[in-house]
């Protein structure tokens, strides 16, 4: 699963030659599928994209994405989670890995595969074996105290998205407080405020995804460069130690 | 190398429901039985499990035992002597076809292969062995049947055909029982007591299966459970389902 980097020993860098896998998790109804659809629409012309949905009960999410035609049908795969959405993204990721690998086998080199979790609770977290980066999606109508309550998703996701900001005045949610509470538990990791109603292309999240892909690309490039360098070094060393004729 | 322990830890890992091999998304035909009203409480669950164990359980355990025996005897030639024939019709391919012939429902075949793929992934990561590689090569694309992988994985850790049969027979009832707890909200203590009551039958089925491990494959048990086959087919077409099978 790629090299271990000193600055973050827990981060699995994407192995060269495979797509970056982006997990999108969050509670039921927070807007995971709508965000996935928005990212597909915004990024599909610049990236080779595919999506795996994890539906709780039906293939509703995959059907929605297909109906909306955000991607061709054969780039959308649905995984059933046996009543345990967090198991399928964390404890036993095999069905999702299977779906991801099947998409890569079908389409060759992809840039990005989005794995959308089934709606879950605040402790849900993607395994590093499945997702290289992960987004946790909350919505303002779910209660503005949710960031303060924390939980693995809110605290540890690479990007926290606070969605449906257009509803904040209607439900009496305090966006500033949500931002402050999130910042307190997130140790500097970014938070994005989105309203897919007002900004349907999710520009804040798309920009973050582009930056992540750039960073992953640079890491892979550095790794390749380092390997070439190491090899040259080894060659030179072996020449230096080679017995002279 | 055979383990000196009566209950080797490797074997416990293989039998553990926490093994990340995709089992959590399968109900062993229980979900459609619940949907049909055939299983509603602990008593009807116990009857379901007895039926499943005596039919699908025995067939799967016998296939696993045969697979373990095959993997062990093939491995006796030693590493590096694995012939291409292992992947062909005279090796794993033939045993895989025997499993296909005993699994009339296409939905069950596909569920068995999906679980086989997932188990193969974790088995190769945990107990690397030429037999597992040969099994993977012989079933490229769709994945080998689940019991075959249990057998080969047991062989890979130095286990016996009897142990492969025991793990398989046990798994055919525990997965369905756990699905019943989730689907019907049954009291987990009562369900566990029902499993305890089945323990002697599980052992007997495993012993029966193990006794045939070195016999001709065509003579392996071929019991059918037509109602389970029909359930599997209706389940695949069901609109609402939590479990893949």
């Amino acid at each position: 699963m790629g090299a271990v980097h000193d600055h973050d020993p827990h981060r699995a860098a994407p192995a060269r030659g495979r797509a970056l896998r982006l997990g999108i998790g969050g509670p039921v109804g927070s807007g995971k599928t709508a965000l996935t659809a928005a990212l597909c629409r915004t990024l599909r012309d610049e990236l080779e994209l595919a999506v795996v949905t994890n539906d709780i009960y039906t293939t509703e999410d995959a059907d929605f994405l297909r109906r909306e035609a955000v991607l061709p049908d054969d780039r959308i795969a649905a995984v059933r989670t046996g009543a345990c959405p967090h198991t399928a993204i964390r404890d036993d990721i095999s069905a999702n890995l299977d779906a991801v690998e099947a998409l890569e086998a079908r389409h060759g080199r992809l840039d990005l595969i989005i794995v959308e979790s089934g709606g879950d609770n605040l402790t849900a977290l993607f395994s590093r074996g499945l997702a290289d980066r992960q987004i946790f999606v909350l919505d303002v109508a779910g209660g503005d105290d949710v960031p303060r309550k924390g939980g693995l998703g809110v605290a540890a996701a690479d990007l926290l998205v606070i969605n449906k900001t257009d509803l904040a005045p209607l439900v009496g949610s305090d966006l500033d407080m949500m931002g402050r509470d999130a910042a307190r538990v997130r140790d500097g990791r970014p938070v994005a405020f989105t309203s897919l109603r007002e900004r349907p292309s999710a520009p804040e999240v798309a920009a973050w995804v582009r930056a992540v892909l750039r960073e992953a690309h640079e890491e892979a490039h550095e790794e390749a460069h380092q390997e070439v360098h190491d090899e040259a070094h080894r060659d030179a060393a072996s020449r230096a130690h080679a017995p002279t004729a | 190398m055979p383990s000196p322990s009566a209950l080797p830890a490797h074997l416990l890992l293989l039998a553990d429901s926490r093994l990340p091999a995709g089992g959590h998304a399968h109900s062993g035909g229980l979900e459609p039985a619940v949907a049909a009203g055939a299983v509603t409480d602990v008593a009807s669950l116990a009857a379901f499990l007895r039926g499943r164990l005596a039919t699908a359980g025995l067939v799967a355990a016998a296939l696993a035992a045969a697979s373990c025996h095959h993997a062990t005897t093939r491995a006796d030639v030693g590493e590096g002597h694995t012939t291409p024939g292992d992947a062909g019709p005279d090796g794993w391919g033939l045993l895989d076809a025997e499993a296909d012939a005993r699994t009339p429902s296409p939905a069950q075949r596909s569920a068995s292969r999906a679980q086989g793929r997932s188990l193969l992934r974790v088995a190769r990561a945990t107990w690397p062995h030429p037999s597992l590689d040969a099994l993977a090569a012989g079933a490229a694309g769709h994945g080998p049947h689940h019991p075959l992988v249990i057998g080969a994985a047991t062989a890979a850790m130095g286990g016996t055909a009897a142990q492969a049969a025991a793990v398989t027979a046990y798994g055919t009832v525990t997965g369905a029982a756990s699905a019943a707890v989730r689907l019907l909200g049954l009291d987990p203590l009562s369900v566990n007591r029902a499993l305890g009551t089945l323990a002697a039958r599980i052992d007997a089925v495993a012993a029966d299966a193990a006794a045939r491990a070195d016999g001709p494959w065509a003579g392996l048990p071929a019991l059918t459970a037509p109602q389970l086959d029909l359930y599997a087919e209706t389940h695949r077409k069901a609109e609402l389902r939590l479990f893949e099978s």
Side-chain angles (χ1 to χ4, degrees):
Chain A
M1 287 294 298
V4 173
H5 295 270
D6 290 335
H7 61 274
D8 181 358
H10 301 295
R11 170 148 303 172
R16 259 171 292 140
R18 76 153 167 80
L20 186 113
R21 299 171 189 164
L22 173 66
I24 298 185
V28 178
S30 58
K32 296 181 295 300
T33 308
L35 177 62
T36 302
L39 287 176
C40 289
R41 287 194 201 95
T42 307
L43 297 170
R44 66 187 168 196
D45 292 334
E46 53 190 283
L47 297 174
E48 287 292 329
L49 262 177
V51 172
V52 178
T53 64
N54 283 214
D55 290 298
I56 301 182
Y57 208 48
T58 61
T59 52
E60 189 72 31
D61 291 345
D63 293 346
F64 172 82
L65 294 174
R66 290 195 182 107
R67 210 166 43 239
E68 293 283 302
V70 297
L71 289 178
D73 280 5
D74 64 355
R75 287 181 178 242
I76 302 170
V79 163
R80 230 167 293 275
T81 61
C84 266
H86 47 271
T87 303
I89 61 159
R90 186 185 58 201
D91 312 76
D92 185 350
I93 56 176
S94 45
N96 272 309
L97 285 180
D98 219 30
V100 163
E101 286 170 10
L103 284 168
E104 289 194 306
R106 192 183 305 148
H107 297 290
R109 178 75 169 92
L110 295 167
D111 299 308
L112 178 68
I113 298 180
I114 297 176
V115 181
E116 185 201 335
S117 163
D120 209 334
N121 61 42
L122 296 174
T123 64
L125 195 71
F126 279 86
S127 158
R128 292 287 176 191
L130 175 61
D132 302 305
R133 300 289 189 279
Q134 51 190 305
I135 297 176
F136 199 74
V137 186
L138 294 177
D139 71 296
V140 302
D144 60 5
D145 56 346
V146 172
R148 188 168 62 244
K149 290 178 180 167
L152 293 170
V154 171
D158 298 290
L159 176 69
L160 177 68
V161 169
I162 298 180
N163 190 26
K164 306 188 194 177
T165 52
D166 53 300
L167 294 182
L170 303 174
V171 297
S173 282
D174 182 342
L175 290 181
D176 290 339
M177 185 185 78
M178 290 183 88
R180 278 196 310 275
D181 288 345
R184 198 168 302 136
V185 293
R186 288 183 51 73
D187 199 23
R189 281 182 289 275
V191 180
F193 288 89
T194 58
S195 165
L196 297 176
R197 192 156 295 222
E198 292 169 354
R199 298 180 298 284
S201 64
E204 311 86 347
V205 184
W208 180 83
V209 171
R210 288 189 193 100
V212 158
L213 280 166
R214 245 189 337 265
E215 180 197 328
H217 185 76
E218 280 162 16
E219 277 180 18
H221 187 76
E222 267 174 38
E223 250 173 65
H225 185 76
Q226 190 60 41
E227 268 172 35
V228 170
H229 178 266
D230 289 351
E231 212 167 293
H233 192 73
R234 266 197 309 275
D235 284 354
S238 65
R239 271 199 306 276
H241 290 111
T244 43
Chain B
M1 199 201 312
S3 164
S5 165
L7 202 49
H10 281 304
L11 204 68
L12 293 173
L13 280 175
L14 182 67
D16 196 325
S17 69
R18 288 162 292 193
L19 183 76
H24 70 100
H26 295 266
S27 78
L30 186 94
E31 188 175 16
V34 167
V39 175
T40 55
D41 54 14
V42 175
S44 47
L45 170 65
F48 176 91
L49 296 177
R50 276 198 302 279
R52 178 166 164 75
L53 177 63
T55 53
L58 176 61
V59 171
L63 284 165
S67 163
C68 183
H69 179 76
H70 183 57
T72 308
T73 47
R74 300 301 297 197
D76 282 346
V77 258
E79 278 187 44
H81 288 82
T82 325
T83 64
D86 278 349
D90 63 338
W92 290 110
L94 185 56
L95 189 55
D96 198 71
E98 294 286 352
D100 247 356
R102 286 161 177 77
T103 317
S105 145
Q108 282 185 344
R109 286 184 187 180
S110 120
S112 169
R113 292 189 184 283
Q115 291 178 89
R117 273 197 308 276
S118 293
L119 180 58
L120 190 57
R121 185 197 304 276
V122 64
R124 292 176 86 185
T126 314
W127 303 286
H129 192 271
S131 283
L132 293 171
D133 298 339
L135 192 53
H142 53 212
H145 276 291
H146 192 224
L148 271 60
V149 187
I150 300 179
T154 307
M157 63 181 74
T160 65
Q163 289 171 332
V167 169
T168 309
Y170 171 74
T172 55
V173 290
T174 51
S178 135
V181 171
R182 294 194 214 165
L183 286 169
L184 291 165
L186 297 181
D187 169 20
L189 301 182
S190 304
V191 169
N192 209 63
R193 187 170 58 226
L195 284 172
T197 308
L198 268 182
R201 283 175 195 257
I202 299 173
D203 291 341
V205 162
D208 189 359
R212 310 158 191 249
D214 56 356
W217 290 345
L220 289 170
L223 295 160
T224 58
Q227 189 64 67
L228 278 181
D229 296 342
L230 290 172
Y231 281 158
E233 291 305 307
T234 53
H235 184 65
R236 191 161 62 161
K237 299 184 191 87
E239 264 190 31
L240 299 179
R241 51 189 178 129
L242 286 162
F243 291 87
E244 187 57 45
S245 75

